[in-house]
Amino acid sequence: MNSSEKILQEIKGLGIEQSLEYLVNAFPGEVVFSTSFGWEDQVISHIIFKNNLPIKVFTLETGRLFPETYYVWNRTLEMYEKPIHAYYPDTAAVEKLVSLKGPSSFYESVENRKECCGIRKIEPLKRALAGNSCWITGIRAEQSLNREHMDPVEWDEANQILKFHPIFDWTLDQVKAYIRENNIPYNPLHDKGFPSIGCAPCTRAVKEGEDFRAGRWWWEDQDKKECGLHSS
């Protein structure tokens, strides 16, 4: 039995708070949570902050976020009075990319888009995860076909870290109900047809009947709808 299978067995049947408490005791000072301030992440931030769990909360500040994302970021800081650590892309790498290819090269090819994601997301993520043992995320199974095949606890080979998705089996209705019941601030774009919110140039509202992540990189094939942060 590998480490992820062992952890999965240990926390099976536990509530979210108890599962997170188990992890912070198993990996003291080495558990982090990444938030992009979407519905799911706001639920987990609420649980971490309200229970004063020793989990470092961080976000990837790509430099291309929606104004509404900064709004909910500020509201979250005001409500919980807890730090949210921002990781920015390397300035020299961004300057080189934009100087050589312009500010919108990601529309031109999948390779260009992945290059931009690599600079603005993947490299900062590696810095955020460095030295840690467990990475908490807001992934849910129903978000995309890629994510249905993940497990609530898994080993991330690329980042050499254990990942735990505490609300993996929740439906979107459950997420929204929890937010209402606990008066949690959320991104107003969710009320305008944006179920999944990333960088502003790469995110649009979805139409009725479209997939949850159809609004992300909508000009690409459906099977390429991951930026590399959570590739299974």
Side-chain angles (χ1 to χ4, degrees):
M1 181 182 295
N2 62 36
S3 60
S4 60
E5 290 172 341
K6 180 178 183 297
I7 296 290
L8 185 59
Q9 288 301 316
E10 292 286 345
I11 65 177
K12 193 172 184 179
L14 297 180
I16 294 174
E17 293 90 342
Q18 291 74 29
S19 297
L20 293 176
E21 286 172 358
Y22 172 88
L23 290 170
V24 299
N25 288 324
F27 307 107
E30 297 180 357
V31 182
V32 294
F33 167 57
S34 57
T35 178
S36 59
F37 304 102
W39 271 319
E40 293 82 2
D41 294 340
Q42 288 300 97
V43 166
I44 298 171
S45 289
H46 174 84
I47 293 169
I48 290 172
F49 292 149
K50 281 294 185 182
N51 290 281
N52 290 310
L53 295 171
I55 296 173
K56 179 180 178 180
V57 178
F58 73 88
T59 192
L60 304 178
E61 212 317 11
T62 64
R64 307 300 292 266
L65 303 180
F66 284 96
E68 290 87 348
T69 301
Y70 294 113
Y71 161 79
V72 74
W73 184 346
N74 278 316
R75 287 281 294 111
T76 304
L77 291 173
E78 291 167 0
M79 175 173 282
Y80 301 104
E81 298 181 334
K82 303 282 188 181
I84 298 172
H85 302 268
Y87 285 82
Y88 285 76
D90 178 72
T91 302
V94 174
E95 288 176 349
K96 182 179 178 182
L97 173 66
V98 177
S99 296
L100 292 175
K101 297 186 176 181
S104 301
S105 61
F106 42 83
Y107 290 129
E108 297 169 6
S109 67
V110 173
E111 291 71 29
N112 277 358
R113 196 268 294 167
K114 288 186 175 181
E115 179 183 22
C116 187
C117 287
I119 291 170
R120 296 183 185 273
K121 293 183 175 182
I122 307 304
E123 189 278 330
L125 175 70
K126 289 189 179 299
R127 280 188 274 119
L129 297 180
N132 292 290
S133 298
C134 184
W135 173 19
I136 310 299
T137 87
I139 283 177
R140 291 187 302 106
E142 69 175 16
Q143 287 173 329
S144 70
L145 290 175
N146 288 345
R147 297 181 177 186
E148 284 179 353
H149 302 295
M150 293 180 174
D151 293 312
V153 179
E154 57 184 352
W155 176 253
D156 186 318
E157 185 66 27
N159 293 296
Q160 292 292 295
I161 196 168
L162 189 76
K163 289 172 75 173
F164 175 47
H165 318 305
I167 59 171
F168 187 75
D169 295 321
W170 284 30
T171 65
L172 182 56
D173 285 341
Q174 285 177 290
V175 171
K176 291 196 283 189
Y178 188 93
I179 285 173
R180 286 194 304 270
E181 290 163 9
N182 293 279
N183 197 29
I184 299 171
Y186 67 91
N187 196 318
L189 287 175
H190 286 314
D191 293 331
K192 299 178 180 179
F194 288 76
S196 177
I197 303 167
C199 293
C202 299
T203 311
R204 65 160 173 81
V206 301
K207 300 168 186 174
E208 188 174 349
E210 283 189 314
D211 178 75
F212 184 89
R213 287 175 67 82
R216 305 293 295 277
W217 312 295
W218 64 91
W219 62 93
E220 296 180 1
D221 292 340
Q222 190 66 28
D223 62 356
K224 299 183 177 70
K225 292 301 182 78
E226 294 286 356
C227 62
L229 294 180
H230 298 297
S231 297
S232 58

